[in-house]
Amino acid sequence: MTLAVATARRVLAQLRHDHRTVALILVLPCLVVGIIAWMFEGTPVLDQFGPVAVGFFPLFVMFLVTSVTTQRERSSGTLERLMTTPLRKGDLVAGYALAFGGLALLQALVVVGFAVWVGMDVAGALGLVVLVALLDAVLGSSLGLAASAVARTEFQAVQMMPAVIVPQLLTCGLLMPRDQMPEVLEWVSRVLPLTYAVEALQQLAAGLGWADVRGAVGVVVLWIVGSVVLGMLTLRRRTE
């Protein structure tokens, strides 16, 4: 556990000096939510799309940051050097999970707080909304970690984003209700995790409670665990 904490501190120290990445994590989601609130002021649009934005942007941003950061460490040889030390795969993955999990918590608090501040109504427990947003961000990090194992360069890591993120965005219910989709797409939507995250956020915004969303939250957690395990199993000791 000590090695995992040391790894997390190293990653956070690097990201702290990367102001563009910090802005991407904290400012970009708020900017988009703010533009939506400004454009549709006085209408229920923010209440309708706010939960989707709160669910999607943490997933999108943390996937991008994690996949690129991890691949950068691969291509620079840092990861290969670390794997020659007593640091085990589990310690390394746990360290990344701690680092990006901390960033995910900060992002969830900022994005949800900003969305509520600019006018998104939440009839349910605000703490649960933050929890789901946090899980979305952690999901993005875990998927990014798994995707970085497939990529060979930072550019390839970015190219993985459309394959992993766009299908979830298209089938999560944003463009049309899922029960009105073609049957095949509806079944695809039942597999992908963003569907359940958005569903939970919409239900919480409508005033439902934990008993109503725990099933959807459980699916997101299963995806997180599966992605972390996949990232650990595919972690290469040598950089090709």
Side-chain angles (χ1 to χ4, degrees), residues 25-26 29-30 54 58 101-117 120 126-135 137:
I25 293 172
L26 300 180
C30 293
V54 168
L103 287 173
L105 176 59
L106 179 60
Q107 184 190 53
L109 290 170
V110 171
V111 173
V112 173
F114 183 81
V116 172
W117 181 65
M120 186 180 78
L126 191 59
L128 289 178
V129 174
V130 173
L131 172 62
V132 177
L134 169 62
L135 290 175

Side-chain angles (χ1 to χ4, degrees), residues 12 27 98 110 116 123 145 169 197 219 222 235:
L12 289 174
V27 178
L98 286 172
V110 171
V116 172
L145 182 65
L169 179 63
V219 174
L222 286 176
L235 187 64

